[in-house]
Every structure is written in structure tokens, then in C-alpha cells.
Amino acid sequence: MRLIDYANPTRFLGLVAKILPWLAGATIVTFAVGLWLVFFRAPADYQQGETVKIMYIHVPFAWLSMFCYMTMAASALGTLVWRHPLADVSAKCAAPIGAAFTFLALATGSLWGKPMWGTWWVWDARLTSVLVLFIMYLGLIALQETIEDPLRAAKASAVLTLVGVVNIPIIKFSVDWWNTLHQPASVFRMGGSTIDASMLVPLLIMAVAFSLLFVWIHLMAMRNEIIRRRIRTMRMIEAAGAE
Amino acid sequence: MNALLALFAREWKLAVRVGGGALMGALFFLIVVTVVPFGVGPDLNLLSRIGPAILWIGALLATLLSLDRLFQVDRDDGGLDLILMGESPLELVVLVKCLAHWAATGLPLVIASPLLAIFMNMEPIAIGATTLTLLVGTPALTFTGAIGAALTVTLKRGGLLLAILVLPLTVPVMIFGVSSATAVLYGGMPFTTPFAILAALGLFAMVLGPVAAAAALRHAGE
Amino acid sequence: MNALLALFAREWKLAVRVGGGALMGALFFLIVVTVVPFGVGPDLNLLSRIGPAILWIGALLATLLSLDRLFQVDRDDGGLDLILMGESPLELVVLVKCLAHWAATGLPLVIASPLLAIFMNMEPIAIGATTLTLLVGTPALTFTGAIGAALTVTLKRGGLLLAILVLPLTVPVMIFGVSSATAVLYGGMPFTTPFAILAALGLFAMVLGPVAAAAALRHAGE
Amino acid sequence: MASPVSSLEGRTLTLDRGGRRVLADLSFRAVAGRALVVTGANGAGKSTLLRLIAGLLRPVAGDLVIEGGDPDLTIAQHCHYFGHQDALKNQLSVAENLAFWRDFFGVADGTVLDALDRVGLARLIDLPAAYLSAGQRRRLAFARLLVTRRPIWLLDEPTSALDAASEARLLEIVGEHLDAGGLVVAATHLDLPFARIDGLRLGPAIVGEAA
Amino acid sequence: MASPVSSLEGRTLTLDRGGRRVLADLSFRAVAGRALVVTGANGAGKSTLLRLIAGLLRPVAGDLVIEGGDPDLTIAQHCHYFGHQDALKNQLSVAENLAFWRDFFGVADGTVLDALDRVGLARLIDLPAAYLSAGQRRRLAFARLLVTRRPIWLLDEPTSALDAASEARLLEIVGEHLDAGGLVVAATHLDLPFARIDGLRLGPAIVGEAA
Amino acid sequence: MDLGNHAGFILASYGLSILVVVGLFAWVVLDGRAQRRRLAELEARGVHRRSQGQSQSQSQGMGMSRSAQPTTGDAR
Ligand code: HEM
Ligand SMILES: Nc1ncnc2c1ncn2[C@@H]1O[C@H](COP(=O)(O)OP(=O)(O)OP(=O)(O)O)[C@@H](O)[C@H]1O
Ligand SMILES: Nc1ncnc2c1ncn2[C@@H]1O[C@H](COP(=O)(O)OP(=O)(O)OP(=O)(O)O)[C@@H](O)[C@H]1O
Ligand SMILES: [Mg+2]
Ligand SMILES: [Mg+2]
């Protein structure tokens, strides 16, 4: 079967049904290994003590919040340029997951910040840019929820997603620049630019685990969305048939 | 009575179904609060001082943004004509529409404001005071805004002047709202005096708004 | 060319004759500037410090107020269909509409800002700098806002949603606008660097806004 | 209909719109059980007359009187107005749209389901109004006249946008309303085959200054 | 007309709206000097077809081809679309409304006054469009087709809201357009007495899922 | 396992993460069930997509006159 065949939603559903159990298993196993490493193997940081354990979830959430947006941007291209029938389903389903992960990056960051920096929140470059990203997710969700026709909603949010991509580096860059003007950045740096393997390995495993989780939830959400659209179509058919 | 309940329910549904309506107001509020530090700079002290004003400005804008078509949509689809032919007095209809709109848009703002106040680094007492003033003051904004919304339905050519008259009506509400919230901060002045005036303004707007808006709407069909 | 000139003339006439939107914007601007001193307290020094930021925030929010019907009116009366069938590229049509909208809504804000800056106790040089940045920056706000207006063109009460979509996109413009205005105040940094970036952002928005808005509008008709 | 109206009479009605005289010294009489069909060229004032009866416009001179009806209510409150606009909200379902107007207009005279059934929309009861086609929208708007009975129906080009089958159905419902002692004032350029018709022809649009 | 079009052809056009297939494998041919009259029940897809030709909707399959015309222009740019919406601004006068569209559509083919005269609105030239009645608005919208000549006219229920005299005048103008070698595609459920008609009957709405 | 004197923060961040992730997961699963149930309902009511039931849907007929017969029995 060629890749293009997966464009057919029915085939896609069949494929998902086959993949999901494996994906579930892999996710659970990776999480088990990762968490074991984090809680029973990884050392405490000499500066931060045990709070460094927050890193193992904070950083994957932060990475995934951006990865998820890029997934949506790629899907947006698929919607606008190639008009791939699954692209907008993918984009729509990624948004809530991205929003949740971004929220968790913010929350775990705040929870880490309180003991480390002594404050829950500062208007610093990185923090603010993540907050803006969170807002963009919510805006996209609101747009998708508000426009009734799924196709039109998909195209509108695809345009917005792509415009937002252009903005992300600008936000980061300009905020850095703005920050130096007023107060020195309090951005945390690991002692040295490289992380010790005893921390890096668990971190990477956790990152893989969260990525698998993302794919898992995403595929299930896509399946729901495809069915939802079928239901919508059938109700419209019912409507037309009733005349 | 039944008619007005039905109206309230419908308006509420409409407000909420536009993209999770209630959340939208709160989200907008969050964005305003996010944008301010970009402008003013990240000085937490300064932020906490202008906090109440920013929250109030955000509330005013959120009200204006969501209000301006309160009646226009009904006029455009002909619903206003039918409402005029109903047995409920137009003043009460306007009142109910405003209440539903406030419940769906204003109330979430009030509820979200303590959280956002934390972002602005405001102190607990200032947070409490600001939230309280918003609770009392946002309905007044809605009722005053309703006059403007009704006028935009009727305005043809000459009526521009009227629009100019409406927005300034919100200025007293804003001023007393912000000053009673900040009174707590500086302590120079008692909280209760401006707050009492704010409450009085709110009651006044609750009468004036529906009466004036209804008067404007009656001429909308002509 | 003639077509675009005609469009500009019509949009201008409409903006001026309806007024509602344009005036609401200017009045809102005035209210923002009036209310902030009440929040900040009577500290004139502080006021002059945050003056540029307040003017910028006011301009940003005022632009949002008037944008939401930029395309909606045309869509509702079928004019958008005809515009799509014309020989002028949609991108240029959007550009011209934005320019007319800015001339009728943004320009008054810019013109009013020196006056309001005096209220904020700003110094002449800061007033000049702020006005200049507003002159260069407000078109960028309009062009960015046009994207939101195009995205929400099919929605009846999209004002708040539009604001939510647009505000994150306007953050860079805000940052460089305010920082070039305040650079003059503190002197720590040259005015020209952020100003040049602001101008560049303006040009960028002038391209991106019409292109994205046109793309959104093309799909809205389906 | 709780309190039937036996006649609706206009006496030397005069009305200005936009500074111009649209109706001048117009008198007419509509009686229960008969349809008053208002015809005339574009701009003659047909819609204006209907809106005047509906209380949406005020005459500068002349009177509008009904015989019968509920003395506590205004004339407008005896009327249903079925104009070009459908007053439907896309975000609400078919049933919600109709139920709102039933509740808003007070005393209900039949269920939403019955009314939808009459206009052939019963199966769409849970569908958002946004999904409806032009013809379905118009029928849903018409169903509003059935959930709360009011004695006077004001119909402005009622059959526009309807295909032949729908039109026949609408005329049948109007006929039943007349049989039940209702009044109908209809503006149209087409020939509407109502059973019992009184005609009212409005002159060409009077273009001139208001007095 | 600068560059006359000799025919407009649709080949196995298929189109989905809102997830449903509205047109399936539709082919038709409209030729210069003749009117293609599209009929069908409510919701059959008449308006959809016209909007497709006007370039406002994209087919999922099939082609639209013209013979003749200006090769630099798209098909849509050869068309005038006269639909239900009038694209009039209430704040502008009758003349301003029309003049804008003349300028926007490029090469003018006659004055605003002439066009208004043809549709019988010359006396209202300075009135704000807000003051027009339903039929008058429609005539003003139609005048737009006269100020800039384009070879293909797409008319969606062109005579709705028009009185008998206006309808006759409209048919006359359409006839002249045909005589001058223009094309007309008209959707209607009434019988339109055009001189030279080709018929296209759309079946009942094809109900099904978009592929 | 000793989490030091900031145990509260660590537990809070892990706890919150679990809460949100599980919430997301539950939402997806419940939503999936609801959609499948509605699909089954529609299919039981005899509504088909074109690929399955073209001829069927066309034979339903159009026009108001048909629904003059009470069709309310299968309306819901
Ligand atoms: C709400 C507050 C916070 C937010 C929004 C946030 C956001 C982020 C983001 C977006 C990244 C990914 C950066 C990239 O891949 O380029 C990240 C990485 C990271 N964050 Fe945070 N963070 C927050 C608080 C904290 C705190 C308090 C600490 C520690 C004291 C921290 C430590 C780290 C570390 C160690 C990394 C990985 C750095 C690297 O990849 O080089 N973060 N954070
Ligand atoms: N904006 C839209 N989105 C989705 N579906 C639509 C839209 N507009 C129309 N439809 C559907 O497309 C089908 C064809 O509609 P169309 O307007 O072309 O019908 P028509 O033949 O012009 O009918 P009428 O006689 O009522 O004007 C209808 O079933 C309708 O429900
Ligand atoms: N809102 C308005 N303001 C001012 N004048 C108006 C307004 N609406 C209509 N008119 C004028 O009133 C006159 C009568 O309009 P009306 O809409 O009653 O005509 P009509 O008989 O219904 O025509 P049609 O057949 O076109 O619907 C027209 O000359 C019109 O110009
Ligand atoms: Mg009329
Ligand atoms: Mg049609």
C-alpha cells in the first residue's frame, strides 16, 4: 500500500486500529523505565537538590509544546497546499493536546521556579514566550470550535497556524532583546552547557515516553474526529432526505 | 415572565455557543494582562501599581468588544421586529439581554480577575478590592454599553453625536471603580466612599441603560 | 489602479459616514489615557515614564475595537463575492481596505496622541518619539488585525475572538514600538535600532497581513 | 385564538418614510375569514403598510382600528408578521429556535413538534438551523405562526423562495387559518390562489416631499 | 463587450458543500445568444452552480471551459453575478453605489445615469440606498450589469421581488444582452419568457458523503 | 526515597501532570465512546452514507407533500 492510500479516512482508521495496541504498550513500558530511572537512579543536582526531578517532566512538556505546534503547522500546509483530507483532522486534534502540554510546561516551570527563583512568575523572555504560545493554542481551539463548518474551520485555523509560526521566533528573539533592556534574565543554566549522562539518559527516555504518549492520544483523537464528521454528514443527509 | 426567562436562556445559549463564549472573555482578559508587561516593562512593582487600572480597562474593552452587536444581530435577522411585537415591555427585554450577556461575558471576567491579578503581582487585599469593584462595576459597563449598542443599530447619518455621548458615560464608572480599588493600596482615602458611588452608578445605569436603549431601539425599525 | 482608488474612496466614505467604529476607537483611546492616572495615583514622574506604553496599549486596543467589521459587512451584503470576481488581486484589495481603515481610524489616534501625551506629563521629546512610533506602528497593527478580521468574517459576534487571535500576533510590534519610544527617555540605547526594526515589522506586516487575510477570505466564501 | 378579531380597518392612513410620503390617505378594511391581498408596483408601499399594521412604523395621520380582540393588547400584539427575514439563529437547533418564539409570544397553541410537522420539518427537530436550505429556513420561520395563534397574519411575499410543493402547503395552512376565522393581509406581486380574497391595490410610489 | 465569448461549457463537474455532494458529474453547455435556464427544486443546487461558474466555489472534479473571451482573464472575470444579495451600502447614495462598482469592475460602458434610467431609478439617483424598497434595491443591483459590460451574466432568480413592469423591463434588457452575443445562465423556479432558451434541469439534491 | 525539603513542589508537579494527562486521556476515550454510540444510533435509524446507500437515499423523495403523512414516528 502506498503512503497516499492512507489519505483515505477509512484506510486510516484500519491502520490506527492495528497500531494502537502496540503504541499503548510501548508508551507504558517507556514510562515505567523512565520513571524508575528518574526516581531510583538519577542523582540529585548539587545545586538544586531533588527539585531537579521536576526537570524530567518539565523539559519534555516544553519540547512537546513546540513540537506539537510544528505538527500543526505541517498539517496546516497539508490542508492549504495539498488539501490532504486528513491534514485538518490532524491539526484540529493536536491543538488541545498541545494546549495541555504547554499548560503543564508552564505549571511545572512555575512549581520549579518557586523554590529555585523564589517566585512563581516573572515576565522573562522564555516564560512569556511560552505563555504566548499557550494563548495561541487556546485561540486556535476557540476558532475551530466557533466556525461550524469543519472544512471552513480547518482552513481558517490553518492560515492562523501558519501566521503564528512566523511569529514564534520573532517572539523569542524580540523578547530576549527587550529583556536585556530592563533587567538581567534569570534564565536557568545547568552547571555547564552539557548535562551529565546520569541525568541526560533518563531525561531522553522520558522525552521519548511523552512523545509516544502524544502520538497515542493524537491518533485516538483523530479517530474520534473522523467519526464525528461522519455523524455530521449523516445528520445532514437525514436533513436533506426529510424534505 | 416566561417570555423573559426564555429570552434569558436563549441569549445565554447564544453567548456561550460562540466559541465557548464564557471562556473567551476570560481568555481575552488574560491576553490584555500579558500584553501590558510587554509595553510597560517587567517591573513587578510598577505592574502591581497599575494592576487595578489594567484589569478595569481590560474589562471595559471586553465588554465593548462583545456588546456592540447585542441588538444588531437581532435587527439584521428581523428578530427585533418580532420582539417589538411581543407582549414584554422593551425595557425589560433590554434588561434581560444585558443580564444574560453579563452572566456569559462579564461574570467570567470577574471570576478570572483574581488569578490575573496574581500575574500582575498584586497584593491579596488589592486583589480582593479589585475583584469586588469589578463585580459591582461590570454590570454598569454592560448597561451603559447597551445604550451604545442600541444606537449603532439606529444610527443613520446624523446620530453620530449620540455615540460620542455614550462612551463618556462609562468614564465615571471606570474612575470610581479604579479609585476604590486603589484606595486600598495607598490608604490615602477610604475604600467605602468611592465604592458606594460606584454601586450607586451601577444602579443608575441599570435603570438608565435599558430605558435609553429601548427608546433608541423603538426607532430602529423606521 | 482606478479600481483600487475607487475602493479607497468608498471605504473612506463609509468609515467616515458610519463613524461608529472610528469614533468608538478614538474615544476608547481617550478613556484609557484618562483612567490610567487614577490607577497609578498622582505620581507625575511615574506617569511620564509609562506614558508611551499606555499610549501604545491604548492604540492597540482601540484598533481592535473597530476592526471586526472590516470584511464582515462586505461578506454579509454579497459585496465580497463581487470583489472576488473583479480584476484586482484580492491581496491588493485587502491592502487598500486596510489603508482606508487606517486613514479613518488609526490616523486620528496618531493625531490625538500628542495631546494625550501632555495629559500623561510626557516631555516634548518623548511626545515626538511616541507619536512617530505610533505613526509607523499603527498601520502594522491594522494589517495584522486584518488577518483576524478575515478569519472571523463568518461569525456574527466575533469581536472578542478576533482580539484573542490577533493580540499574540501584535506582541512584537508592541515591544519595538514601546522600546523605541522609551529609548529616547532613558537614553541607554539608541532610538534608531528598535525604530528600524519597528519599521521593518511594519513592512513585513504590510505583506503578511494582506496575503494571509486574502487566503482566509478566499476560503470563507465556500 | 383566544379572542378572535372580526375586522381590521385602516382609516385615511398617511405615512412618511425618509422624509417622503409613502402612504397617503389610505383606507382599507380586512375582515375575518378573508384575505386582503395588497398589490402594487415596487416601492408602492406594500411592505410599509404591513409594517405599519405590525406597529413597527407610526402613521403621521389616520387610525388603525380593530373590532373584537383582547382590549388589553395593542393591535400589533394581535398580529404575526412574516416578512423577508427569518429571525433564526444559526447556533440554535430547529426546535430551540421555534420553542423560543413560542415562549416569547406567550400562550402556546400546540407543540413545537406539531408545528414542525405541519411545515414538513419534524425530522430536523434537533438539527442546527445553520444546516437548513433556503426553503427550509423559510418554512421554519413560517412555523412560528403556528405555535402561538394570533388572529391577524401579515404576510410579505410569503411564497418567495419556495418551490411549488412548499407553496401549495403554505397556501393550505393559510386557508385553514382563514377558515378558523383569522385575518390575513398579504403583500405580493404574484397571484396567490387564496379562496376568499379582497384586493387592495396601492398606487405607484408617490415621489414627493412629505407634507 | 471587448472580447465576446462564444460558449461556456461545464464538463463532469462535481462539487461538495459542507461535506455533502451537491453537484455530481454535471455537464452543460451555454452558447452565445442563448439563455441557459437552470431549474430544479429547493436545494437542488442551482445557486451552487452559478457560484461555481462565478469562481466562488471550487469543484472537486471536472472542468469549466470557455471559447473566445480574453485569454488574460479568468472565467469568473468574464461574468457578472446577480444573486440574492445586493451588495449595496445603505450609507451611500444610489449613484455612489453604482459608480463604485463601475469603477471597480474596470472599463465603463455607459454612464451611471443611463443605467439607472434603464432600470427606472433615475429619479432616485441621490437617495441613500437605505431608503429603497425591496424591488428598488434589486433593480439597482441589476443596474450594475449595465455599467460594465461583461459577456456572461449569471442570474439567480432574477425576477424575484420585482413587479410585473420591472420584470418585463429586466427581460427586455436580458434579451438585448443576448442579441448582442452575450451568454446568460439563469436559475429560477418560475417560467422566464426569454426568447431563446436552453434548459438544464438539476435533479433532486444528491444526498451523500463527499468523497 | 527522599525528595528533600522541596518534596511538596516535586509531588505537586508530578501530581498535576498526571491529573492533566489522565484528564486528557479520559476525555479522548469518553468522547470516542460517545461518538461511536451516536454513529450506531444513526445507523440503526437507517441513515447511510452515500457509499453505502445511494439508491436508498434517493428513493426517499423530496418536497413538502411527502411529509404531509405523519413521519414523526421515525423523527427521533
Ligand atoms: C513557568 C516557567 C517556565 C517556563 C514557561 C519554561 C519553559 C521552558 C521551555 C520552553 C524550555 C525548552 C527550551 C528549548 O528547548 O529551547 C525549557 C527548558 C528548560 N527549563 Fe524551563 N521553563 C520554566 C521554568 C523553569 C525553571 C524554574 C527551571 C529551573 C530552575 C527551568 C529549567 C529548564 C531546563 C533545565 C530546561 C532544559 C534546558 C535546555 O534544553 O537547554 N525552567 N523551559
Ligand atoms: N453555505 C453552505 N454550506 C453548506 N451547504 C450548503 C450551503 N449553501 C447551500 N448548501 C446546500 O447545498 C445544496 C444546494 O443549495 P443551493 O443554494 O445551490 O440550492 P438551490 O437550488 O439554489 O435552492 P433554492 O431554490 O432554495 O435557491 C442545498 O442542499 C443546501 O443545503
Ligand atoms: N427604511 C426606509 N427609509 C426610508 N424610506 C424607505 C425605507 N424603506 C422603504 N422606503 C421607501 O418607502 C417606499 C415604499 O417602500 P416599501 O418597501 O413599502 O415598498 P413595497 O411596496 O414593499 O415594494 P417592493 O415590491 O419593492 O417590496 C419606497 O419608495 C421606499 O423608497
Ligand atoms: Mg416589500
Ligand atoms: Mg438558490
Side-chain angles (χ1 to χ4, degrees):
Chain A
M1 194 166 17
R2 290 161 307 140
L3 190 62
I4 189 76
D5 290 336
Y6 296 119
N8 181 326
T10 311
R11 294 236 176 87
F12 176 80
L13 285 184
L15 185 75
V16 166
K18 263 182 262 163
I19 287 182
L20 273 183
W22 296 100
L23 202 55
T27 310
I28 290 166
V29 168
T30 323
F31 262 115
V33 173
L35 287 173
W36 179 73
L37 283 177
V38 167
F39 280 99
F40 300 105
R41 280 289 174 274
D45 189 72
Y46 71 98
Q47 251 183 338
Q48 312 181 11
E50 292 289 346
T51 53
V52 77
K53 297 227 181 304
I54 297 180
M55 177 181 77
Y56 301 107
I57 50 174
H58 167 71
V59 176
F61 282 140
W63 283 341
L64 276 173
S65 66
M66 290 182 286
F67 173 74
C68 189
Y69 195 90
M70 295 322 288
T71 310
M72 288 174 66
S75 305
L77 273 183
T79 304
L80 289 183
V81 180
W82 298 292
R83 303 203 194 177
H84 193 288
L86 282 174
D88 52 300
V89 176
S90 159
K92 183 173 182 200
C93 294
I97 310 176
F101 283 5
T102 312
F103 170 75
L104 285 174
L106 284 166
T108 54
S110 276
L111 282 166
W112 199 0
K114 187 66 181 171
M116 287 299 103
W117 301 336
T119 172
W120 298 103
W121 187 258
V122 284
W123 291 99
D124 129 293
R126 176 165 284 178
L127 275 58
T128 314
S129 65
V130 176
L131 183 59
V132 170
L133 181 65
F134 180 57
I135 290 168
M136 293 202 331
Y137 274 123
L138 295 186
L140 279 165
I141 294 174
L143 186 66
Q144 281 160 344
E145 290 298 317
T146 306
I147 301 182
E148 207 279 328
D149 179 12
L151 230 80
R152 207 181 288 155
K155 284 176 176 158
S157 46
V159 170
L160 184 65
T161 310
L162 289 179
V163 173
V165 168
V166 179
N167 203 41
I168 283 183
I170 299 180
I171 291 173
K172 283 204 158 185
F173 161 78
S174 60
V175 170
D176 270 332
W177 189 83
W178 159 76
N179 195 42
T180 54
L181 180 62
H182 296 276
Q183 64 162 52
S186 42
V187 180
F188 169 76
R189 277 248 146 273
M190 203 47 101
S193 53
T194 53
I195 310 179
D196 187 80
S198 63
M199 288 172 151
L200 189 60
V201 170
L203 175 61
L204 290 182
I205 291 182
M206 286 299 280
V208 170
F210 276 109
S211 307
L212 286 173
L213 180 72
F214 167 71
V215 177
W216 186 14
I217 299 181
H218 189 215
L219 285 182
M220 286 202 298
M222 280 177 74
R223 185 174 60 182
N224 294 349
E225 180 65 21
I226 290 172
I227 299 177
R228 196 191 328 274
R229 289 184 187 189
R230 279 200 181 153
I231 292 172
R232 182 180 182 278
T233 308
M234 288 167 70
R235 293 182 71 189
M236 292 190 61
I237 290 168
E238 201 180 17
E243 275 198 44
Chain B
M1 205 54 232
N2 198 15
L4 294 176
L5 279 182
L7 182 66
F8 186 91
R10 181 184 78 149
E11 291 295 314
W12 166 267
K13 272 187 214 155
L14 286 176
V16 169
R17 290 196 190 162
V18 177
L23 276 176
M24 206 100 93
L27 181 56
F28 170 78
F29 218 26
L30 172 67
I31 300 179
V32 169
V33 171
T34 313
V35 167
V36 170
F38 280 111
V40 181
D43 181 345
L44 287 180
N45 242 346
L46 181 59
L47 279 181
S48 74
R49 269 179 74 180
I50 60 171
I54 298 303
L55 289 181
W56 263 93
I57 291 172
L60 171 63
L61 185 64
T63 307
L64 288 181
L65 273 175
S66 52
L67 253 184
D68 70 334
R69 286 194 237 172
L70 188 61
F71 304 113
Q72 182 131 36
V73 181
D74 279 325
R75 186 197 140 100
D76 288 350
D77 70 12
L80 188 58
D81 294 340
L82 300 183
I83 286 177
L84 286 167
M85 295 174 71
E87 285 158 35
S88 319
L90 191 55
E91 285 76 11
L92 287 184
V93 168
V94 173
L95 184 74
V96 168
K97 278 185 81 106
C98 288
L99 287 178
H101 182 271
W102 180 78
T105 319
L107 194 56
L109 287 187
V110 177
I111 294 171
S113 60
L115 188 72
L116 300 178
I118 295 178
F119 271 123
M120 304 288 288
N121 196 39
M122 282 161 60
E123 284 158 36
I125 177 139
I127 294 180
T130 308
T131 310
L132 193 62
T133 55
L134 280 174
L135 183 65
V136 174
T138 44
L141 293 181
T142 306
F143 290 122
T144 322
I147 306 178
L151 286 174
T152 55
V153 166
T154 37
L155 284 187
K156 294 253 166 67
R157 276 198 192 184
L160 248 174
L161 251 178
L162 291 168
I164 308 180
L165 295 177
V166 171
L167 210 52
L169 289 181
T170 57
V171 170
V173 179
M174 292 287 294
I175 288 176
F176 285 102
V178 173
S179 34
S180 48
T182 46
V184 180
L185 271 178
Y186 305 123
M189 184 179 29
F191 171 73
T192 42
T193 318
F195 188 72
I197 300 180
L198 180 68
L201 280 175
L203 289 178
F204 181 62
M206 191 156 163
V207 177
L208 180 71
V211 170
L217 287 178
R218 286 226 173 75
H219 297 291
E222 299 201 346
Chain C
M1 205 54 233
N2 198 15
L4 294 177
L5 279 181
L7 181 66
F8 186 92
R10 182 184 77 149
E11 292 294 313
W12 167 265
K13 268 188 220 158
L14 287 175
V16 170
R17 288 194 193 160
V18 183
L23 243 125
M24 289 262 274
L27 276 169
F28 176 77
F29 196 42
L30 186 68
I31 291 183
V32 168
V33 173
T34 321
V35 167
V36 168
F38 284 92
V40 180
D43 180 346
L44 285 182
N45 241 347
L46 180 60
L47 263 187
S48 72
R49 235 181 86 196
I50 61 171
I54 298 305
L55 287 181
W56 260 93
I57 292 171
L60 170 63
L61 299 181
T63 306
L64 287 181
L65 256 186
S66 51
L67 261 177
D68 68 332
R69 285 193 237 173
L70 187 59
F71 304 114
Q72 181 143 45
V73 184
D74 280 323
R75 187 193 138 98
D76 288 351
D77 70 10
L80 189 58
D81 293 340
L82 301 184
I83 286 177
L84 286 166
M85 296 174 71
E87 285 158 36
S88 320
L90 190 55
E91 285 77 10
L92 286 184
V93 168
V94 172
L95 184 75
V96 168
K97 280 187 79 105
C98 288
L99 287 177
H101 182 268
W102 178 78
T105 318
L107 196 55
L109 291 186
V110 176
I111 293 171
S113 62
L115 190 72
L116 299 179
I118 295 177
F119 279 125
M120 305 286 289
N121 195 38
M122 283 162 61
E123 283 158 37
I125 177 140
I127 295 181
T130 308
T131 309
L132 192 62
T133 55
L134 280 175
L135 183 65
V136 174
T138 44
L141 297 180
T142 306
F143 290 122
T144 319
I147 304 177
L151 289 173
T152 53
V153 73
T154 51
L155 307 177
K156 283 288 176 233
R157 286 195 199 169
L160 260 185
L161 179 60
L162 181 148
I164 291 170
L165 302 180
V166 165
L167 276 175
L169 301 179
T170 53
V171 163
V173 178
M174 284 290 295
I175 291 172
F176 288 100
V178 175
S179 44
S180 47
T182 46
V184 178
L185 272 178
Y186 306 123
M189 188 182 25
F191 170 74
T192 43
T193 319
F195 188 72
I197 299 181
L198 179 68
L201 281 177
L203 289 177
F204 182 63
M206 193 158 161
V207 177
L208 182 70
V211 169
L217 286 178
R218 282 216 182 82
H219 295 300
E222 295 193 355
Chain D
M1 280 169 282
S3 39
V5 171
S6 60
S7 80
L8 167 74
E9 201 171 339
R11 294 183 189 149
T12 60
L13 289 164
T14 301
L15 189 142
D16 296 340
R17 290 189 90 170
R20 294 188 312 129
R21 177 134 305 171
V22 175
L23 301 179
D25 266 343
L26 180 74
S27 299
F28 65 89
R29 190 176 149 87
V31 294
R34 296 182 70 85
L36 180 69
V37 174
V38 185
T39 52
N42 286 144
K46 304 181 291 299
S47 303
T48 302
L49 177 61
L50 295 194
R51 292 179 70 82
L52 166 63
I53 300 172
L56 302 169
L57 295 173
R58 252 166 304 224
V60 287
D63 294 302
L64 210 52
V65 213
I66 54 172
E67 267 164 45
D70 183 338
D72 292 342
L73 299 180
T74 63
I75 296 179
Q77 286 164 354
H78 288 90
C79 300
H80 268 307
Y81 177 61
F82 179 61
H84 298 288
Q85 294 164 308
D86 51 28
L88 300 178
K89 300 289 178 194
N90 282 338
Q91 295 90 358
L92 302 183
S93 74
V94 167
E96 282 171 332
N97 266 299
L98 194 53
F100 165 68
W101 288 112
R102 179 199 54 196
D103 296 341
F104 188 80
F105 280 138
V107 200
D109 253 295
T111 68
V112 164
L113 191 63
D114 289 342
L116 288 176
D117 200 30
R118 281 310 313 263
V119 299
L121 295 178
R123 290 183 65 182
L124 311 191
I125 191 154
D126 285 328
L127 218 67
Y131 290 13
L132 300 186
S133 78
Q136 288 170 334
R137 289 180 81 88
R138 205 140 165 82
R139 280 184 262 159
L140 176 52
F142 190 75
R144 195 164 43 226
L145 277 60
L146 303 178
V147 283
T148 313
R149 282 287 162 128
R150 285 185 164 187
I152 306 174
W153 285 7
L154 308 171
L155 313 176
D156 199 352
E157 304 190 28
T159 59
S160 84
L162 295 183
D163 57 21
S166 311
E167 185 176 326
R169 169 46 72 93
L170 182 135
L171 292 177
E172 184 190 320
I173 295 174
V174 172
E176 285 169 18
H177 177 66
L178 291 174
D179 291 342
L183 276 82
V184 167
V185 182
T188 183
H189 324 276
L190 305 172
D191 291 330
L192 291 181
F194 292 128
R196 293 169 297 279
I197 287 186
D198 295 315
L200 172 67
R201 182 154 181 90
L202 299 182
I206 296 150
V207 179
E209 295 288 302
Chain E
M1 278 167 284
S3 40
V5 170
S6 61
S7 80
L8 166 75
E9 202 172 336
R11 294 181 190 152
T12 61
L13 289 164
T14 301
L15 190 143
D16 296 340
R17 290 189 89 168
R20 289 198 307 132
R21 180 136 301 171
V22 175
L23 302 179
D25 265 344
L26 180 74
S27 299
F28 66 89
R29 190 176 149 88
V31 293
R34 296 182 69 87
L36 181 70
V37 174
V38 186
T39 53
N42 281 145
K46 303 181 293 296
S47 305
T48 302
L49 177 61
L50 296 194
R51 293 179 69 82
L52 167 63
I53 300 173
L56 301 169
L57 296 173
R58 250 168 309 212
V60 288
D63 293 301
L64 210 53
V65 213
I66 54 172
E67 266 164 46
D70 184 339
D72 293 342
L73 299 180
T74 63
I75 296 180
Q77 285 163 353
H78 288 90
C79 301
H80 268 305
Y81 176 61
F82 178 61
H84 298 289
Q85 292 167 308
D86 49 29
L88 301 179
K89 300 289 178 195
N90 284 337
Q91 295 85 7
L92 302 183
S93 74
V94 167
E96 281 172 331
N97 266 299
L98 194 53
F100 165 68
W101 288 112
R102 179 199 54 197
D103 296 342
F104 188 80
F105 278 136
V107 199
D109 253 295
T111 69
V112 164
L113 193 62
D114 287 345
L116 288 177
D117 204 25
R118 284 304 318 259
V119 299
L121 292 179
R123 290 176 71 182
L124 307 182
I125 191 157
D126 285 327
L127 216 67
Y131 291 1
L132 299 184
S133 80
Q136 290 166 338
R137 290 180 80 89
R138 201 130 170 91
R139 273 140 64 183
L140 176 51
F142 190 74
R144 195 164 45 224
L145 277 61
L146 303 178
V147 284
T148 314
R149 283 287 161 126
R150 285 185 162 189
I152 305 175
W153 285 7
L154 309 172
L155 312 177
D156 199 351
E157 304 190 26
T159 57
S160 85
L162 294 184
D163 57 24
S166 311
E167 185 174 327
R169 192 146 13 166
L170 181 134
L171 292 177
E172 182 190 318
I173 296 173
V174 171
E176 284 169 20
H177 176 68
L178 291 174
D179 290 342
L183 275 82
V184 167
V185 183
T188 181
H189 8 249
L190 305 171
D191 290 331
L192 290 182
F194 292 129
R196 294 168 297 279
I197 286 187
D198 294 316
L200 172 66
R201 185 158 176 90
L202 298 182
I206 293 150
V207 175
E209 192 198 25
Chain F
M1 177 180 52
D2 177 23
L3 292 178
N5 48 357
H6 294 305
F9 291 100
I10 300 175
L11 292 179
S13 37
Y14 276 83
L16 186 68
S17 304
I18 291 171
L19 210 71
V20 173
V21 168
V22 167
L24 194 63
F25 201 83
W27 167 68
V28 171
V29 170
L30 293 181
D31 182 42
R33 283 207 195 134
Q35 298 307 332
R36 260 169 291 198
R37 199 179 51 235
R38 290 167 74 195
L39 186 68
E41 268 171 29
L42 279 169
E43 271 165 0
R45 225 190 288 164
V47 187
H48 294 277
R49 295 187 293 131
R50 185 191 62 235
S51 45
Q52 303 152 358
Q54 173 130 34
S55 54
Q56 203 264 352
S57 65
Q58 283 194 338
S59 67
Q60 277 178 342
M62 303 281 147
M64 275 170 122
S65 50
R66 267 195 67 88
S67 31
Q69 283 81 40
T71 51
T72 45
D74 55 334
R76 316 199 58 170

